[in-house]
Amino acid sequence: MISKYVEINPIIENGLKRQLPIVALESTIISHGMPYPQNVETALKVEEIVRDNGAIPATIAIINGKFKVGLTKDEIAYLGKAGQKIVKTSRRDIPYLISKKVDGATTVASTMIAAEIVGIKVFATGGIGGVHRGASTSFDVSADLQELANTNVAVVCAGIKSILDLGLTLEYLETHGVPVLGYKTKELPAFYTQKSGFEVNYRLDSANEIAKFLQAKWDMNLKGGVVIANPVPAAHQLDYNIITKTIEKAILEAEMNKIKGKESTPFLLAKVKELTEGKSLDANIQLVYNNAKLAAEVASSLSNLNC
Ligand code: PSU
Ligand code: MN
């Protein structure tokens, strides 16, 4: 069944057989999360950082009617150049793209699905989707949260981006039993900033502690994912007050332009970048690098524990 719908790069396949540390990477961040050419440069560099830290990178997308686990450089460049023309693919979109052989970039949710199918436990990205501000009337709650509730993959991210409602996102995660860990922090980071005013559930100070946490959760069949919140490095964070105002402005523009559904997150990311004259993109790139490193360390610790 699996080979009909999933194509695994031979390097990843070998790594899986030998239980080597592997880090899953999403592709919507390439097509919809950053502009070309920085998106391609970042995606390739992220893979290099994963390798330099002892793990195998597996960037995931839907190519030619299959989940492709471990994209080639050319495939990454293709997604990056195509940008928003590629279909942003979450859980609901998968059967259409597979059955119609339409290429798609995977979100956090669909990357987790592919990772779980092949047996990859650790995933690095920039930011996860969450409960959007105004969700009480828009009902805009990312499918990423539901995936975290059900799918056994740990996601290293830079916390929860304040285009979202952080408080409601934490409540949702709590209801669904998804732990939110802070790497060397008790404060939940807010993507562009270390500060948010909210707390994570547990602070853990090493990759090994995180790996032990994951092992305990999954050994006990406590189904679902884990959010590992890794703050943006201090030198690259943005000013809290400025970014807060910028995000409010971006949300207002989205409302005025009646942006809804899956277009909402890419619109807000691009608007914030424009309003910060690219500073948000620099922070975004640096925090993804930082997450790739931690994810590789966690994957390595986990594979040592499981030996
Ligand atoms: N946040 C970012 N960059 C991104 C995304 C989120 O900082 O590229 C992408 C991820 O792929 C995430 C998706 O899974 O947006 C969430 O979209 P939505 O809010 O429509 O569920
Ligand atoms: Mn949404």
Side-chain angles (χ1 to χ4, degrees):
M1 187 287 275
I2 232 192
S3 62
K4 186 170 173 195
Y5 299 115
V6 183
E7 183 184 339
I8 310 178
N9 177 312
I11 298 171
I12 314 289
E13 185 137 48
N14 178 50
L16 286 166
K17 265 193 211 122
R18 296 171 54 204
Q19 295 197 323
L20 299 177
I22 304 176
V23 173
L25 300 160
E26 61 150 315
S27 45
T28 293
I29 189 175
I30 306 174
S31 58
H32 290 68
M34 289 183 193
Y36 181 78
Q38 288 96 334
N39 54 1
V40 176
E41 285 160 21
T42 305
L44 296 175
K45 176 87 176 161
V46 162
E47 290 206 335
E48 201 178 306
I49 292 171
V50 170
R51 276 188 213 102
D52 290 348
N53 287 280
I56 303 169
T59 306
I60 295 174
I62 292 181
I63 304 280
N64 198 22
K66 290 185 180 191
F67 266 133
K68 176 92 193 272
V69 179
L71 297 183
T72 63
K73 281 190 179 155
D74 285 350
E75 286 164 339
I76 288 175
Y78 154 66
L79 294 176
K81 276 189 196 143
Q84 313 248 347
K85 283 191 224 115
I86 291 284
V87 181
K88 175 179 162 188
T89 311
S90 201
R91 171 179 272 271
R92 63 143 192 225
D93 310 293
I94 297 168
Y96 181 81
L97 276 84
I98 301 255
S99 62
K100 289 282 200 183
K101 289 200 182 356
V102 177
D103 294 342
T106 50
T107 61
V108 168
S110 52
T111 305
M112 288 176 75
I113 293 171
E116 184 172 60
I117 290 174
V118 302
I120 302 174
K121 297 280 175 205
V122 182
F123 168 12
T125 186
I128 55 170
V131 180
H132 279 257
R133 297 197 200 175
S136 57
T137 51
S138 72
F139 271 46
D140 191 350
V141 177
S142 174
D144 292 353
L145 297 185
Q146 201 50 37
E147 211 56 55
L148 281 160
N150 292 302
T151 303
N152 301 336
V153 175
V155 182
V156 180
C157 63
I160 298 165
K161 192 183 286 110
S162 42
I163 60 171
L164 303 168
D165 187 317
L166 278 66
L168 292 188
T169 303
L170 287 173
E171 291 293 349
Y172 191 101
L173 291 169
E174 178 180 347
T175 301
H176 291 276
V178 180
V180 179
L181 305 179
Y183 179 61
K184 296 186 176 169
T185 181
K186 184 68 188 161
E187 179 158 18
L188 174 74
F191 198 83
Y192 299 119
T193 57
Q194 296 194 343
K195 176 179 151 170
S196 72
F198 291 87
E199 286 199 348
V200 296
N201 309 138
Y202 301 104
R203 169 184 170 147
L204 294 178
D205 288 336
S206 71
N208 196 42
E209 283 175 68
I210 296 172
K212 282 186 182 158
F213 182 103
L214 299 178
Q215 188 187 42
K217 176 174 166 76
W218 293 325
D219 273 356
M220 296 180 75
N221 279 324
L222 296 169
K223 199 165 65 78
V226 175
V227 175
I228 302 168
N230 186 27
V232 55
H236 297 287
Q237 70 177 329
L238 302 182
D239 180 88
Y240 182 82
N241 293 320
I242 295 176
I243 196 67
T244 302
K245 285 206 188 85
T246 305
I247 285 171
E248 276 159 13
K249 218 166 150 187
I251 290 173
L252 216 63
E253 286 208 32
E255 278 166 13
M256 283 183 335
N257 288 292
K258 300 201 165 32
I259 306 288
K260 286 196 296 263
K262 69 196 283 195
E263 274 79 44
S264 176
T265 298
F267 178 91
L268 291 171
L269 294 178
K271 196 43 88 186
V272 169
K273 177 191 168 251
E274 185 191 308
L275 293 172
T276 60
E277 288 158 356
K279 280 204 203 85
S280 66
L281 180 60
D282 295 335
N284 198 345
I285 292 171
Q286 294 300 326
L287 65 83
V288 176
Y289 293 164
N290 194 44
N291 295 343
K293 179 172 185 288
L294 178 60
E297 290 167 1
V298 171
S300 299
S301 297
L302 196 60
S303 101
N304 287 336
L305 288 180
N306 291 334
C307 277

